[in-house]
Amino acid sequence: MIIAEEVSTALQDGRAVVALESTIISHGLPTESSARVAREIEAAVRDSGAVPATIAIVAGQVRIGLDDDALDQIATDGNVVKSSIRDLGSVIASGSLGATTVASTAYLAHRAGIRVFATGGLGGVHRGASQSFDESADLPALAHIPVALVCAGVKSILDVHATLERLETLSVGLVGYRSEKFPGFYIQDSGYAVPWVAQSAAEIADTLAARDALGLEQALVVANPIPDGKEMPRELHEATLAAALEALQDNKITGKDVTPFLLGFFHEHTHGVSLQANIDLVLNNAGLAAQIAVSLAASPLR
Ligand code: PSU
Ligand code: MN
């Protein structure tokens, strides 16, 4: 595991660090804009006073914090492997280039000593999962990795209700940030509620510290709705969602290709509207994650 110097120094000094995943860069955003957006996400973390640590596998080595070359490779290389926890061993042993998902990023961040992690949307239970068994590896991973994960909920292409039930079963903490609604990624409200609401980053840091003191090993999911005025128009969202689900069936897409396919479908068919929403919500999450990391670094309970 190679930890970038800036990241390792910050960790040694007890300063705020935020982990960032790389699958959103390689598989979640169109190649034309992915490197630029990846840098904007890192800048949003810095603007709120923390050090960003984007995580990926480069030439078979785990990298915690990417230099310019590595970040460009993840953003543009056509052979980058979407790597969840089960892929890590093979990606490393084969010397491949791997982009980490929420599950594998959380795992590697925790091993590197990073407590707070920002992403766009969490993986979840797919519609029809009672037949297909398609549940993201993100969910069981969060049941045993004690990080704070800031996300804009899950996309409504998933079965939101089932996802929330699974999070409860797995004892994963769930706190809404200044909202009682569980967000639906492109939209502020998925139609479901969260069990707890926090009004400040400091409150979330206290929650994390309290969980640590008890030795709880589950993650704390911080559900941060897309900012006011930035969500996708509801009608466009509904229409695209229906078309995306149909295309998924028509093209017989399964397994790890499902999520990238659906994201790509949205970006393509909304002519950039969903892409802009995606960018806005990720930057918002990066900023909140940095504030939480800063609060945690300043906390006497840390
Ligand atoms: N949700 C998004 N954008 C993404 C992902 C999820 O809105 O890019 C990515 C994350 O890396 C997440 C992964 O961990 O997809 C989940 O994939 P799957 O559903 O195959 O587990
Ligand atoms: Mn899946």
Side-chain angles (χ1 to χ4, degrees):
M1 184 182 271
I2 301 176
I3 305 184
E5 198 183 327
E6 186 192 15
V7 176
S8 69
T9 309
L11 288 171
Q12 273 159 25
D13 296 350
R15 284 185 286 121
V17 176
V18 171
L20 299 167
E21 65 148 312
S22 43
T23 294
I24 54 172
I25 306 169
S26 62
H27 290 71
L29 295 164
T31 311
E32 311 80 71
S33 55
S34 54
R36 172 180 61 81
V37 176
R39 292 193 168 86
E40 287 177 13
I41 299 169
E42 293 195 345
V45 170
R46 290 187 197 284
D47 287 348
S48 291
V51 173
T54 304
I55 296 181
I57 318 291
V58 181
Q61 281 177 312
V62 173
R63 300 271 291 265
I64 310 287
L66 303 182
D67 55 31
D68 274 346
D69 278 357
L71 193 144
D72 281 332
Q73 245 184 298
I74 289 290
T76 58
D77 193 305
N79 291 320
V80 55
V81 182
K82 176 181 167 186
S83 310
S84 197
I85 291 175
R86 75 165 185 172
D87 305 300
L88 289 175
S90 301
V91 170
I92 290 167
S94 62
S96 303
L97 181 66
T100 51
T101 63
V102 166
S104 53
T105 306
Y107 180 77
L108 296 170
H110 177 60
R111 279 187 73 94
I114 302 172
R115 312 293 322 285
V116 185
F117 166 20
T119 185
L122 178 62
V125 179
H126 284 262
R127 295 178 187 219
S130 62
Q131 294 298 317
S132 68
F133 281 65
D134 191 354
E135 173 185 3
S136 175
D138 291 353
L139 299 187
L142 293 180
H144 63 89
I145 306 172
V147 294
L149 170 66
V150 182
C151 65
V154 300
K155 277 182 299 304
S156 34
I157 50 182
L158 299 175
D159 184 335
V160 181
H161 177 74
T163 301
L164 288 168
E165 290 292 347
R166 287 290 290 151
L167 286 172
E168 181 179 358
T169 301
L170 295 167
S171 297
V172 173
L174 178 58
V175 179
Y177 182 64
R178 296 184 177 167
S179 172
E180 291 173 4
K181 320 281 192 201
F182 185 67
F185 196 75
Y186 297 124
I187 51 177
Q188 289 188 322
D189 178 7
S190 68
Y192 295 89
V194 289
W196 293 94
V197 179
Q199 297 298 339
S200 68
E203 219 178 292
I204 297 166
D206 288 348
T207 305
L208 205 58
R211 296 165 54 88
D212 280 356
L214 295 175
L216 290 174
E217 60 178 12
Q218 296 86 359
L220 177 66
V221 171
V222 179
N224 188 30
I226 187 171
D228 287 339
K230 304 280 193 186
E231 68 172 6
M232 268 182 78
R234 292 290 174 125
E235 279 168 24
L236 179 63
H237 180 262
E238 294 302 315
T240 312
L241 177 61
L245 292 170
E246 209 167 296
L248 195 64
Q249 293 224 321
D250 293 348
N251 291 281
K252 298 194 167 51
I253 308 286
T254 56
K256 67 198 274 188
D257 298 330
V258 170
T259 298
F261 176 86
L262 290 171
L263 281 165
F265 187 96
F266 260 79
H267 295 332
E268 224 174 279
H269 291 259
T270 64
H271 307 287
V273 175
S274 73
L275 176 59
Q276 192 54 51
N278 199 339
I279 294 170
D280 291 335
L281 70 86
V282 179
L283 296 179
N284 188 45
N285 292 344
L288 176 58
Q291 291 171 37
I292 295 167
V294 167
S295 285
L296 202 60
S299 164
L301 300 170
R302 169 165 59 89

